[in-house]
Amino acid sequence: MLWVIIQSVINGILMGGVYALIGVGITIIFGVMKMVNFAAGSYLVWGMYFTYLGYLLFGANCYLLIPFVLVCMGLFAYITFKLSIKQVIDTGGTSFILITVGLSYFLQNLAELLFGTTPKTVPSAINTSAIHIGNFSIGLPRFIAFIAMVILVLLVNTLLTKTNLGRAMRATAEKPEVAKMLGINTDRTYSFAFIIGCIFAGLAGLLLTPLYYVTPTVGSIFRTSAMMVCVLGGLGHIKGALVGGIIVGIVESLVGTVISADLGTVAVCVLFLIVLYVKPQGLLGKGERRA
């Protein structure tokens, strides 16, 4: 029984890394734009389809396609931002919710129109490979996804703290009006934040191609979990997204393995409600300032 629990925790941590990767993308967008990106799941799907296209074009392993997918996702995010999000950037509130929910369905249907509903696969020699440590097994695709998540988060943290773009993003997140007065192009900053967030979702899709079939609806599997990750950790808090992702992964895997596979998601939802009741701003989130 102890072996089952420890193995479930290992699997949960690795899967939590994927949740965290999507969650960090949502967190970056919310932190700068104060907008929850409900289309993150659809951008994940497009990351998987760009990986599939890269495989058809170059015949390369999915991990060698990271530069290709990164460029494709960046251009794709920029185009969708200009055509949709930018039009409501000054309205905020309900408009953000409506535009991202609508964008989610549009991108899902566009993928279905262009690629059909037949599941696609991206062959890889490591799909079923694993690292064995004693009696425990670590799936190689999940392990690579976890390591990639750590590297990407460290890179984006460096971007936010050590570069002029990062300082502009943090200034815009704090006070957009003051940032404009200081000469910061807030529209460009918003677009960069949105592109970075979508790239994270797309790279998460790439890292999932060895584990899942590529279909237009596969993003719905991760959409709810990613949102829970962000809220659990604290919206706008990158470290919170990491903590939330790992917690969600562990709880889902542990309950799903020890009790019932059908109860993993239920347990995460119960945990979500408990955390919100005890600490509405999330585990690492900060409450609003009071005079």
Side-chain angles (χ1 to χ4, degrees), residues 55 60-63 121-129 141 144 209-211:
Y55 169 74
N61 184 288
C62 64
Y63 302 112
T121 58
V122 180
S124 174
I126 65 168
N127 280 18
T128 57
S129 300
I144 292 174
T209 52
L211 302 169

Side-chain angles (χ1 to χ4, degrees), residues 103-243:
L103 184 60
S104 173
Y105 286 109
F106 172 77
L107 294 179
Q108 180 178 312
N109 288 316
L110 180 62
E112 185 174 328
L113 178 67
L114 294 177
F115 300 101
T117 57
T118 305
K120 309 289 193 298
T121 58
V122 180
S124 174
I126 65 168
N127 280 18
T128 57
S129 300
I131 301 172
H132 297 283
I133 302 176
N135 295 325
F136 303 106
S137 176
I138 301 175
L140 192 54
R142 294 178 189 270
F143 180 71
I144 292 174
F146 185 85
I147 296 300
M149 178 274 296
V150 173
I151 294 172
L152 288 169
V153 169
L154 290 175
L155 287 175
V156 81
N157 187 64
T158 301
L159 170 71
L160 292 175
T161 56
K162 304 295 184 181
T163 66
N164 290 333
L165 174 60
R167 296 184 185 96
M169 290 171 68
R170 287 188 284 120
T172 303
E174 187 70 25
K175 289 289 183 182
E177 298 82 4
V178 176
K180 284 184 179 179
M181 292 172 60
L182 293 174
I184 295 174
N185 187 332
T186 55
D187 288 340
R188 186 170 61 185
T189 304
Y190 287 144
S191 67
F192 274 121
F194 188 81
I195 289 169
I196 292 172
C198 292
I199 284 175
F200 266 69
L203 291 179
L206 177 146
L207 295 170
L208 288 170
T209 52
L211 302 169
Y212 291 85
Y213 287 110
V214 184
T215 68
T217 58
V218 69
S220 59
I221 300 174
F222 304 95
R223 183 188 303 130
T224 303
S225 297
M227 291 298 175
M228 287 186 181
V229 163
C230 294
V231 177
L232 276 176
L235 274 170
H237 204 295
I238 291 178
K239 292 180 181 177
L242 294 178
V243 172

Side-chain angles (χ1 to χ4, degrees), residues 224-271:
T224 303
S225 297
M227 291 298 175
M228 287 186 181
V229 163
C230 294
V231 177
L232 276 176
L235 274 170
H237 204 295
I238 291 178
K239 292 180 181 177
L242 294 178
V243 172
I246 292 173
I247 289 175
V248 167
I250 291 174
V251 170
E252 187 177 66
S253 177
L254 199 57
V255 174
T257 302
V258 176
I259 302 177
S260 170
D262 297 328
L263 294 179
T265 304
V266 175
V268 172
C269 292
V270 171
L271 173 66

